[in-house]
Amino acid sequence: MAPNRFIEIPEHLSKPVGTPGTRMLEIERSKASFSSEDLKLYIHGEERLQRMERILAVLENEPAFSKEKIHYMSRTEKYSWGLAKEKRLVQLLSELGWNQADHNLAEELLDAPAAFGLHKSMFMKTLESQSTEEQLKLFYEPAKRFEIIGCYAQTEMGHGSNVQGLETTATYDVDSKSFILQSPGLSSAKWWIGGLGRTADHAVVMAQLRTPDGKNGQLVNRGPHAFFVPIRDPKTRETLEGRTIMDIGPKAGYPMTDNGTMLLDNVSIPHINFLAKYSKVDIDTGKFEKPPNAKLSYGTMTYIRANIVQQARMVLARSATVAIRYCAVRRQFSDKDAPVLDGKKPAETQVLNYQLVQARIFPPLVQSFACHYTGKEMFRLYEQNISQMEEGDFSLLADVHASSSGLKSLCTIMASAGIEECRRACGGHGYSLAGGLASFYADYLPQVTWEGDSYMLTQQLGRYLFKTFRILIADKDAPMSSENRTRGYVLKYLANPQASATFQFAGDLSDPQFFVDAFGHRAAYLTATALRKRDVERKTWNSLLIDIYRCSVAHSQFILVYNFAQAILHDQELKSQPALHKIMTTCFEYFAVYTMDTEAAEFLSSGYLSPRQSEILRTQVHALLAQLRPQAVSLVDAWGIPDYQLNSVLGRKDGDVYPNLMKFAQGEPLNQWKFNIDPNDPEIVKGKEGEAKANSGNADEGDPLARVRGFLLPPLATTPSPLTGSTDLLSTFSLTTMYDTYVRPYLAPPPASTTPAPATTTSPAEDPSSKGKGISIGFSIGGVRIGGGVVAKGANAGGGEGEKKGKKRRMEKNYTALVGDIPGRNTIKKDTHLTTLLLNPSYNPALPVPLDAHTLREAFTLRPGQIPGFDSMIWENTGDDGGKKKKKKRKVEAIAGTGGVGGGEGEEEHRKKKKRKEGE
């Protein structure tokens, strides 16, 4: 369903100038030396392609999966859309008989991680891998049927990568045969948990297991273990007792996922809720039984990280697809050295022709193929490792887990950098959400951090590399799995630490084994150097973290090169198709020489390369860019990423970029409104009809006032009403607090009365002798005398020394320090009393607030009010033709202690006199 178009484009302006993008991509595809369809079949296989075609037809025609309006939605709307998507997917499982592979592919094509994401991944995988047979029936089966929805609660506010430092505890109570879960403090709150905020009703909670089997029954900490914890009533959706749960708020990306936080307070769960496939706690005694191998639970993390590595290939391929297609359509400037004529004038050059652009967006392209082969190999090793562990063979576990840690780090950092580099290569349009890369980048970024921070995680691989190196130094024949790739390059290095490359020309770089040896030597050299610092020089672990990170990168890059090379050398399916083998060999060579050139310093410092050889490598990098240029569009086509999944105007397969970019702008809901931009008018949406429409809050149209309505000032009256008293004056200038602090405390309280107060107060107008006047008081603060305020007759008018009760005084000359310098027709007689009062003991004059003439006139149009202790003298200056000023003095008196408005006959007499004078 296409989005609404709120602005129409004239027909004669609806087509771009020059060769259309569709034709540009047709020309590009005609240059390829291979069939992109054959390569797509080789990459994905017939089964996956058929499944993709079948599922894509459903997704593109299902209203619940329409992506047309996603970029125009608020966060709440996106969460709701995502939840509807999740529900519909679950329904399709039964309606269309989809299996798990169908479901997974649908999620990949939708590319809209939402509320059930953690349920389908970490929650389900943990239950499946760490539950007993009984627990599988109790927990896993209902979760598989979506009768319960779960999340995986490991990360805490105060701890992420350091799982051993988790603060949440699970203490076994023998008497009740239950575990008591407790968050010791605020930092113990589970945090960033996907699906926890508003969705999940159960959680796999990682907590420090404490068992009462220590000496004399003391509690013993057994480290983090997994517990199955109900958190909400599945029917009523009410949070269960002892759980405090909420969404953590807006994030840079993942708007459809309700990442949440949870505090647990004395939460009791039964013994069966401890996931006990490996570790066990005796139900009667609380005695803890260790797993046969402490790293058994690493299998789950290895699987998740293998998924992340394979996901990285599609992330890089998708980014490269958008950038390469768009840069083939986009034209900028003319190449004066090699002009292309458009008729008689030079045509602008395709952006993809610029070498610097190629150097930025071709690396993600070849990196996607490298991750493809390594992802396949990681899953093969994972399955083999699981089979071996079930038979009691753990020889492959350490190497697979350590390598998965390093690869997770390298691939997520590489993929996130690739997205951003491709986005930048798209120029200004890459910043638009229409480009598909800006939001994609924000959604992918968490991968760098979760499932182990991609920088700190390298320490796991570093420890493994140190341990392996030490073992092989002591015993070169130490038993290790034949699948252990680390063993191979370490032994080669130990046999010849001074090995070096022998190539002399670029043509010598065609052997994939050369690159395998080169990357292996560099990884071993860096590990040996760091290990010497640790074991011989006795440097601290913290001082080696950068070295360890470099070791991890080198090892992981070796794995990528090794697996890519094995495909070039031994993949019979690939070798049977010469055109495909040739282009894949070119991609491999560019990946290898580009990576070597990027990391040249380490190859040089290890002595494996000479400076001259490094220069040959760099020259080959540039030469391979030229070889890849005519193949680029067809290479990204081979990934077969449909437009539905790309969701990018710039990366469209048909190349029709500019008309669809305009359609994206036409669909912006903001375009339907007219806005009032007058700074003095609080109206936002122009006109009553627009305001009413905005107030309706139509989800499709948006509500531009929803987020600002609470901040709007009340509309001004057509004719502003004059201030009704001194209270209004203080309020207008925000002086009420100052008045309450410096004036009100020193006013005499009204006399106590033994009779009830009358229902109405008598105004001065009822007492002819008062003439609307009260009694002025005076007082002093800190030796500074303050002019009298007016109080009701009969009140105790306490004041400064020498003052007499009942003596009428006027508060002379006030507000000057605050408003005396404000430009305008009205001015105030100069005064130092209030100034000294407000600024004592330090004299720092307050800056005047600039106001327009209208506000000044309204502020000083006073009528007597009801603030005791306040009396103002207002002067109005008028100029005559001769430049002389006439001063008119008007008294305004406030009557303290009364609810009525002063003035009475005195004010009436003043009006009569003024009218007579005007008549004269």
Side-chain angles (χ1 to χ4, degrees), residues 231-390:
I231 57 176
R232 289 186 177 95
D233 186 303
K235 300 298 183 183
T236 67
R237 305 296 299 155
E238 291 294 331
T239 303
L240 299 180
E241 185 179 359
R243 293 86 162 161
T244 302
I245 304 173
M246 67 185 110
D247 185 276
I248 63 172
K251 311 171 290 288
Y254 264 68
M256 299 175 196
T257 300
D258 53 323
N259 295 84
T261 180
M262 175 172 65
L263 285 164
L264 300 168
D265 189 10
N266 197 34
V267 172
S268 176
I269 59 174
H271 178 272
I272 190 64
N273 286 33
F274 170 57
L275 300 187
K277 183 175 182 178
Y278 302 116
S279 301
K280 302 182 186 303
V281 175
D282 187 273
I283 190 171
D284 296 316
T285 65
K287 184 177 180 180
F288 178 72
E289 181 181 334
K290 295 180 180 180
N293 189 307
K295 296 182 179 179
L296 278 171
S297 60
Y298 287 2
T300 300
M301 294 305 296
T302 300
Y303 173 83
I304 296 299
R305 289 167 184 168
N307 267 296
I308 290 175
V309 172
Q310 194 164 51
Q311 181 191 24
R313 67 171 185 157
M314 297 307 297
V315 170
L316 290 161
R318 179 172 168 178
S319 305
T321 297
V322 173
I324 288 173
R325 285 178 178 171
Y326 174 66
C327 289
V329 170
R330 181 79 166 178
R331 291 175 177 270
Q332 292 288 286
F333 308 106
S334 299
D335 188 345
K336 296 181 180 179
D337 295 330
V340 177
L341 296 180
D342 183 5
K344 295 183 179 180
K345 64 179 182 178
E348 287 189 292
T349 302
Q350 289 171 276
V351 172
L352 192 58
N353 285 341
Y354 291 106
Q355 188 188 60
L356 187 57
V357 173
Q358 297 167 12
R360 295 165 63 193
I361 63 179
F362 286 0
L365 172 62
V366 296
Q367 287 165 353
S368 67
F369 291 109
C371 289
H372 167 70
Y373 290 112
T374 293
K376 288 178 63 176
E377 179 65 6
M378 287 298 295
F379 274 108
R380 186 189 71 81
L381 290 173
Y382 168 77
E383 296 296 340
Q384 181 176 332
N385 179 53
I386 293 297
S387 298
Q388 291 181 190
M389 287 197 302
E390 290 176 351

Side-chain angles (χ1 to χ4, degrees), residues 844-866:
N844 294 311
L847 296 175
V849 179
L851 299 170
D852 58 83
H854 173 76
T855 303
L856 283 170
R857 178 171 295 279
E858 288 303 308
F860 291 105
T861 303
L862 300 181
R863 294 192 178 92
Q866 55 177 350

